[in-house]
């Protein structure tokens, strides 16, 4: 804890000094790309990677799917590391292992079959390699710009549904969880570790929903139960056009943190695996979520941090992010 506390002090001092400057000097994607494309782009930078069509698609839809971006070899290595973690052959500092709520109380489920999700694997060199893959960062840079932080990491092992529909992930906006801005300089990369389709609960997205604002989130009223912290947008409208993102192993989707998305039930016998990372420009700044719609999740996270890691009130919701974030490219300017 003392090393973490030291690191925190450095971060906080730095934040005090740089906040105003960062806010003032933020360049919009539009300004940077203006000379190349007279069309105004709000969400992407021109790095010679995205085609104009891809940029327009992200503006319009809030996501782009890149086929075959991560190799089978890499994914097989991530899967092996996941197995080692589940068998407790390696211990990873700071790692959060979540079990599905419907099997959490069962004594008989062991190893990989007990794990729904790993979070915060930034201290596992093998899994964290995913967040540093050059072919991923090349895309990330189009959304964040050159200074890139890996802010949140997950390996999702969506279990076969036990019949209570708890394997669903309600429709949500990831920004609900993040006390930093601006939203347009944050992006999620989500890579299928095997074929994902409707039957095993692929991602479901509401195209264009990133144009809206951050909505109120809460636990949906689902009879069979709901996993801890799986908040969904309140007043979810099931009539909004949805797209099911069916993907092959290695396919990767990049999406905006305001994009409303979730995933359906896993109706197969297999555990549906995906690995993901949320990136943000290190030029982003932390915000105070007190009095906002994010207050409910920040209280839950603080409670969890208190229980699990014994951190006290002096560590804020923002601090928990500064401690977990890792620079993966460029300079750590603010975050
Ligand atoms: C920090 C979040 C950042 C996310 C940003 C990106 C967007 C991500 C969107 C998300 O995915 S948000 C959802 C992420 N979910 C979490 O972060 C949940 C984190 N996991 C946990 O907090 C722990 O796994 C949990 C506290 C729920 C349980 O851990 P324990 O190691 O204490 O489990 P244990 O088996 O000892 O069970 C303790 C109690 O928790 C209950 N429990 C266990 N797993 C559960 C579960 N999955 N859901 C609900 N309750 C659960 C369990 O039944 C038991 O209840 P009782 O006290 O009544 O006996
Ligand atoms: N009331 C709700 N609030 C928030 N999200 C919801 C709600 N009801 C369903 N969802 C989410 O909507 C998405 C689609 O749900 P659905 O049950 O239709 O699953 P599906 O697998 O996509 O559909 P299908 O069974 O038709 O293939 C999932 O992410 C699910 O968690
Ligand atoms: O893999 C999934 O089911 C989606 C998970 C998700 O959207 C999240 O954890 O934020
Ligand atoms: Fe999400
Ligand atoms: Mg359904």
């Amino acid at each position: 804890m003392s090393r973490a506390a030291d690191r925190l002090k450095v971060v906080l001092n730095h934040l005090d000094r740089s906040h105003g400057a960062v806010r003032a000097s933020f360049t919009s994607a539009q300004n940077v790309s203006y000379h190349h494309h007279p069309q105004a782009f709000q969400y992407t930078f021109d790095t010679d990677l995205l085609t104009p069509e891809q940029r327009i698609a992200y503006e319009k839809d809030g996501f782009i799917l890149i086929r075959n971006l991560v190799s089978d070899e890499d994914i097989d290595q991530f899967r092996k590391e996941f197995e080692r973690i589940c068998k407790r052959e390696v211990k990873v500092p700071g790692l959060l292992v979540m079990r599905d709520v419907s099997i959490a109380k069962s004594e008989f489920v062991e190893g990989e079959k007990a794990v729904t999700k790993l979070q915060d694997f930034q201290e596992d060199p093998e899994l964290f390699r995913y967040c540093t893959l050059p072919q991923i960062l090349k895309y990330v840079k189009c959304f964040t710009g050159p200074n890139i932080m890996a802010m949140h990491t997950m390996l999702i092992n969506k279990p076969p549904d036990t019949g209570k529909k708890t394997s669903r992930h309600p429709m949500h906006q990831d920004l609900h969880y993040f006390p930093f801005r601006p939203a347009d300089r944050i992006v999620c990369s989500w890579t299928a570790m095997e074929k994902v389709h409707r039957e095993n609960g692929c991602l479901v997205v509401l195209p264009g929903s990133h144009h809206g604002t951050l909505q109120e989130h809460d636990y949906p009223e689902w009879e069979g139960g709901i996993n801890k912290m799986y908040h969904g947008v309140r007043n979810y409208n099931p009539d909004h056009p949805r797209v099911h993102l069916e993907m092959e192993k290695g396919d990767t989707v990049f999406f905006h943190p305001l994009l409303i998305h979730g995933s359906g039930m896993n109706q197969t016998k297999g555990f549906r695996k995906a690995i993901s990372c949320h990136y943000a420009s290190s030029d982003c700044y932390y915000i105070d979520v007190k009095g906002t719609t994010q207050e409910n999740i920040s209280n839950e996270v603080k409670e969890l941090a208190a229980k699990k890691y014994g951190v006290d009130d002096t560590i804020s919701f923002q601090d928990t992010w500064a401690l977990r974030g890792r620079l993966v490219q460029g300079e750590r300017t603010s975050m």
Side-chain angles (χ1 to χ4, degrees), residues 158 165 167-172 197-199 201-204 218 220-222 231-238 242 244 261-267:
K158 190 195 262 292
K165 300 189 177 178
S167 67
R168 286 184 297 175
H169 198 130
M171 288 291 189
H172 64 281
H197 42 74
R198 226 164 148 151
E199 291 69 40
C202 64
L203 283 184
V204 182
D218 227 322
E221 284 166 23
W222 285 352
H231 292 195
V233 290
R234 222 187 261 182
N235 313 317
Y236 168 60
N237 173 10
R242 307 181 295 174
H244 288 79
H261 66 284
S263 58
M265 233 202 304
N266 180 0
Q267 296 173 278

Side-chain angles (χ1 to χ4, degrees), residues 3-19 149 151 282 284 286 316 318-326 332-335:
R3 248 184 58 206
D6 281 353
R7 170 80 196 120
L8 188 61
K9 244 187 263 163
V10 174
V11 170
L12 293 177
N13 281 337
H14 185 74
L15 288 180
D16 274 352
R17 278 186 283 111
S18 58
H19 256 184
M149 298 271 297
M151 295 303 292
S282 83
C284 286
Y286 291 102
S316 70
Q318 290 85 341
D319 301 339
T320 66
W321 287 98
L323 287 165
R324 286 175 293 165
R326 297 285 179 274
R332 190 163 182 170
T333 53
S334 156
M335 294 277 281

Side-chain angles (χ1 to χ4, degrees), residues 98-99 104-105 117 119 177 227-228 230 304 308:
M98 189 177 78
R99 311 211 282 167
K105 287 188 203 308
K117 192 179 242 188
Q119 287 193 88
Y177 297 87
N227 279 305
K228 179 84 174 150
Y230 277 33
L304 171 71
K308 224 150 180 122

Side-chain angles (χ1 to χ4, degrees), residues 104-154:
K105 287 188 203 308
S106 159
E107 315 164 46
F108 305 112
V109 185
E110 259 305 310
E112 195 180 339
K113 288 197 162 56
V115 176
T116 281
K117 192 179 242 188
L118 299 181
Q119 287 193 88
D120 299 332
F121 58 65
Q122 67 277 356
E123 291 300 316
D124 183 289
E126 182 51 39
L127 290 182
F128 194 71
R129 208 166 55 74
Y130 168 74
C131 308
T132 66
L133 289 175
Q135 71 271 38
I136 298 256
L137 292 178
K138 247 170 59 184
Y139 280 96
V140 169
K141 191 179 176 185
C142 302
F143 309 101
T144 60
N147 296 325
I148 309 175
M149 298 271 297
M151 295 303 292
H152 188 251
T153 53
M154 287 190 285

Side-chain angles (χ1 to χ4, degrees), residues 148-333:
I148 309 175
M149 298 271 297
M151 295 303 292
H152 188 251
T153 53
M154 287 190 285
L155 194 153
I156 306 132
N157 188 47
K158 190 195 262 292
D161 203 274
T162 58
K164 300 190 154 179
K165 300 189 177 178
T166 55
S167 67
R168 286 184 297 175
H169 198 130
M171 288 291 189
H172 64 281
Q173 297 166 304
D174 289 340
L175 193 68
H176 177 59
Y177 297 87
F178 302 148
F180 41 88
R181 299 291 186 275
D184 295 345
R185 300 284 80 82
I186 303 171
V187 71
C188 178
S189 84
W190 189 101
T191 300
M193 293 176 69
E194 62 194 296
K195 193 176 170 69
V196 298
H197 42 74
R198 226 164 148 151
E199 291 69 40
N200 64 8
C202 64
L203 283 184
V204 182
V205 303
L206 307 188
S209 50
H210 67 307
H211 290 131
T213 54
L214 182 59
Q215 301 192 24
E216 273 190 75
H217 287 64
D218 227 322
Y219 288 109
E221 284 166 23
W222 285 352
E223 279 173 27
I226 176 84
N227 279 305
K228 179 84 174 150
M229 293 186 199
Y230 277 33
H231 292 195
V233 290
R234 222 187 261 182
N235 313 317
Y236 168 60
N237 173 10
D239 299 330
H240 191 289
R242 307 181 295 174
V243 172
H244 288 79
L245 297 182
E246 302 212 313
M247 296 162 68
E248 298 291 331
K249 181 176 178 180
D251 291 356
T252 301
V253 60
F254 295 91
F255 64 90
H256 190 280
L258 282 171
L259 184 77
I260 297 177
H261 66 284
S263 58
M265 233 202 304
N266 180 0
Q267 296 173 278
T268 68
K269 293 202 172 76
F271 287 70
R272 189 227 69 187
K273 287 179 182 56
I275 187 166
S276 88
C277 179
H278 283 90
Y279 299 92
S281 164
S282 83
D283 305 339
C284 286
Y285 50 86
Y286 291 102
I287 58 160
D288 187 354
V289 300
K290 199 160 185 295
T292 73
T293 59
Q294 293 178 259
E295 202 168 355
N296 59 359
I297 190 66
S298 101
N299 287 336
E300 280 195 48
V301 173
K302 273 189 279 187
E303 235 172 74
L304 171 71
K307 245 185 22 201
K308 224 150 180 122
Y309 311 108
V311 300
D312 57 29
D313 268 6
T314 60
I315 304 244
S316 70
F317 184 39
Q318 290 85 341
D319 301 339
T320 66
W321 287 98
L323 287 165
R324 286 175 293 165
R326 297 285 179 274
L327 187 74
V328 290
Q329 199 167 103
E331 268 184 86
R332 190 163 182 170
T333 53

